[in-house]
Structure formats: C-alpha cells, structure tokens
C-alpha cells in the first residue's frame, strides 16, 4: 500500500530563517515555495534522494501550524507516506480500524492529494497519506 516516505513535515516560525540550513548547509535542492490557503501555511519543499523535507510556516495565528508551534515549538510535525491510490488506502486503513482525520482526500502541495490519519490511531505521530500527481 505504501510506496516510500514522500516527505517529512517540519514546522518552522519562518521559511526565510529556516531554508538556509537545508539548502546551504545540507545542500538540498529547493524545489519550490507555495502557499496553501486552505491550510493557512506556506510550504517549502527540499529534495533529498527520493524524499523531501517540507518546511511549514503558518500564515495566520489560527493556522494548525501556529497552534503546533505554540504547543511544541519548531520541529517534526508529520511523516507522509506515498500511496498510488489514496482512496483505496483510506478504505483499507478504515477497514483495519484506523481513524482518519480526512475521510476523503484534500489538496496538498504541488497538486498532490493528501489525507491525515488521526494521531490517536498512529501512536501520536501525525501521519499523512500522499498521492502525487501522475504526469
Ligand atoms: Zn505533508
């Protein structure tokens, strides 16, 4: 069902202050920055092999990322696994008794479709399913 770790999401106060470490010190190519209005975040994607690091900056005080930063400070926010068929993956997980935050997919970065599992079902690790746009 899962293909690979597509990305690891990291909550940051500021993309501008955080990108340098990954792009310059770790020499990870910056793939792009985009705003996802529905989730009130700005996202920077940096490539590492077949996986990515997704830096998440809140764009408003009521962003879920703003609340995360308030509670935990900057750090790892979620792990995203790549799936070929996100509807099938959600159905399979639901059938296995896993609780989903998103019972149907929503729009993610770079035209991907994503769905979050409920952290109560994943040992406190916020877990995302991610179906990338087939090109
Ligand atoms: Zn993500």
């Amino acid at each position: 069902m899962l293909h690979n770790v597509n990305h690891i999401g990291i909550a940051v106060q500021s993309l501008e202050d955080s990108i340098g470490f990954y792009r310059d010190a770790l020499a990870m190519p910056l793939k792009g920055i985009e705003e996802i209005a529905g989730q009130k975040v700005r996202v920077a994607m940096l490539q590492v092999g077949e996986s990515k690091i997704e830096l998440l900056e809140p764009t408003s005080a009521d962003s879920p990322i703003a609340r995360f930063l308030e509670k935990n400070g900057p750090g790892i926010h979620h792990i995203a696994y790549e799936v070929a068929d996100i509807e099938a993956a959600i159905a399979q997980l639901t059938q296995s008794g896993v609780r989903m935050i998103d019972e149907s997919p929503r729009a993610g970065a770079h035209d991907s479709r994503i769905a979050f599992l409920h952290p109560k079902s994943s040992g406190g690790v916020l877990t995302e399913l991610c179906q990338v746009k087939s090109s």
Side-chain angles (χ1 to χ4, degrees):
M1 179 173 68
L2 305 179
H3 283 204
N4 60 308
V5 174
N6 179 275
H7 63 267
I8 296 173
I10 297 177
V12 301
Q13 302 283 4
S14 153
L15 290 185
E16 276 63 38
D17 294 349
S18 311
I19 284 171
F21 168 69
Y22 294 93
R23 186 195 51 205
D24 305 332
L26 298 181
M28 292 166 57
L30 175 63
K31 305 307 283 183
I33 296 177
E34 71 179 289
E35 183 164 344
I36 304 172
Q39 292 167 47
K40 297 178 179 161
V41 288
R42 257 184 1 124
V43 174
M45 283 288 193
L46 295 117
Q47 192 81 34
V48 51
E50 289 189 354
S51 302
K52 293 179 249 353
I53 293 293
E54 177 184 71
L55 302 179
L56 301 153
E57 172 198 79
T59 54
S60 93
D62 63 341
S63 160
I65 295 301
R67 288 198 297 269
F68 178 91
L69 288 168
E70 225 165 84
K71 238 175 104 183
N72 309 287
I76 292 181
H77 178 259
H78 66 271
I79 295 179
Y81 298 103
E82 192 170 322
V83 296
D85 180 341
I86 195 163
E87 273 92 0
I90 292 170
Q92 192 177 329
L93 286 168
T94 304
Q95 222 165 41
S96 319
V98 173
R99 268 172 72 193
M100 301 293 302
I101 292 176
D102 301 305
E103 280 162 10
S104 52
R106 54 175 151 133
H110 301 289
D111 296 324
S112 63
R113 294 195 306 145
I114 65 171
F116 281 98
L117 279 62
H118 197 285
K120 282 228 161 71
S121 284
S122 50
V125 178
L126 187 58
T127 302
E128 173 189 333
L129 305 175
C130 168
Q131 181 181 344
V132 296
K133 194 184 170 196
S134 51
S135 48

